[in-house]
Every structure is written in C-alpha cells, then in structure tokens.
Amino acid sequence: MQYGVKYTPLYIFINGDGAVNFFFVLSGFVLTLRLYRKPSQRVVLGAVVKRLPRLAFPVSVSILVGYLILVFGLNFNHAAAGISGSGWLMDFGKAHQPAGFTPSLLSAIRESLLVFLFND
C-alpha cells in the first residue's frame, strides 16, 4: 500500500498543523522565559501592555469580518462541502453553531472586545 510523503520524515516540511503547533509551543516558551528568570509584576504588565493590543486588533477584525460573512450569507461552506465531500466544511469548520443561531452585531463587538479577557 502506498502512503506518499505523509508517513515519512519528509512530512515535517509540509505538515501545516504541526508547524503551527510547534510555533505556539516555542513562542509560549520564549515569551514566558523572561518571567521565570526574573519574576516580577512589571515584566507581566509590560508583556500585557505590549502584546494585548497587537493581538486584540487582528482578532477583533476577524470576528467582525466573520459577523459580516454570516449576516450577508457569504459563507458557502455547504456548497463547498457538497462539491468536495468534506464533513469539516459541512460543519462550518467545527464551529458548532447552536440551532437557530442568529449573528448579532452587539454580540460580535462584545466578543471582539472581551475574547482575551474571558473564556466562555
């Protein structure tokens, strides 16, 4: 049986999921290393002040763009799933929207502002 590159060591060069996981683990280690070397509230506060706006802005934009896609019906995941046979696309990328879900601008704004502060 032939498997292609997936079951060889060469797979590390094309494994996008693995690369993303590796990046997050490595960056989490690097970002917390200074705190472990010199624990202080100033280091934590400096990291929050420096990184939170840089992270919050793109996430907020993504949430608001997602809201607009849902409101204007630009999510063609069911049509794409029908063509490709992808269960992942049929389920909207595992978004697990509750039955009767209706997007709300207020909810999108609230989520974009509070996504980093509270984990629902």
Side-chain angles (χ1 to χ4, degrees):
M1 183 181 277
Q2 294 180 341
Y3 293 107
V5 175
K6 186 171 183 178
Y7 298 99
T8 71
L10 296 174
Y11 188 60
I12 64 170
F13 295 111
I14 61 169
N15 181 359
D17 290 340
V20 169
N21 290 334
F22 178 74
F23 169 77
F24 280 116
V25 169
L26 185 62
S27 64
F29 172 76
V30 169
L31 291 174
T32 58
L33 188 60
R34 183 173 176 203
L35 177 62
Y36 284 109
R37 287 186 175 163
K38 285 185 171 182
S40 77
Q41 289 180 342
R42 197 180 98 200
V43 170
V44 173
L45 185 60
V48 169
V49 167
K50 188 176 5 175
R51 287 179 185 87
L52 188 60
R54 280 194 324 216
L55 295 171
F57 178 73
V59 168
S60 296
V61 169
S62 298
I63 289 171
L64 293 174
V65 167
Y67 163 76
L68 293 172
I69 287 171
L70 292 174
V71 165
F72 291 110
L74 300 174
N75 53 325
F76 301 109
N77 57 302
H78 287 280
I83 294 168
S84 67
S86 170
W88 183 87
L89 277 175
M90 183 61 73
D91 193 28
F92 196 59
K94 304 286 184 214
H96 303 294
Q97 295 173 344
F101 171 77
T102 304
S104 141
L105 180 58
L106 181 61
S107 176
I109 292 170
R110 182 179 50 90
E111 188 69 27
S112 69
L113 294 174
L114 302 178
V115 69
F116 285 102
L117 302 176
F118 304 103
N119 187 8
D120 293 8

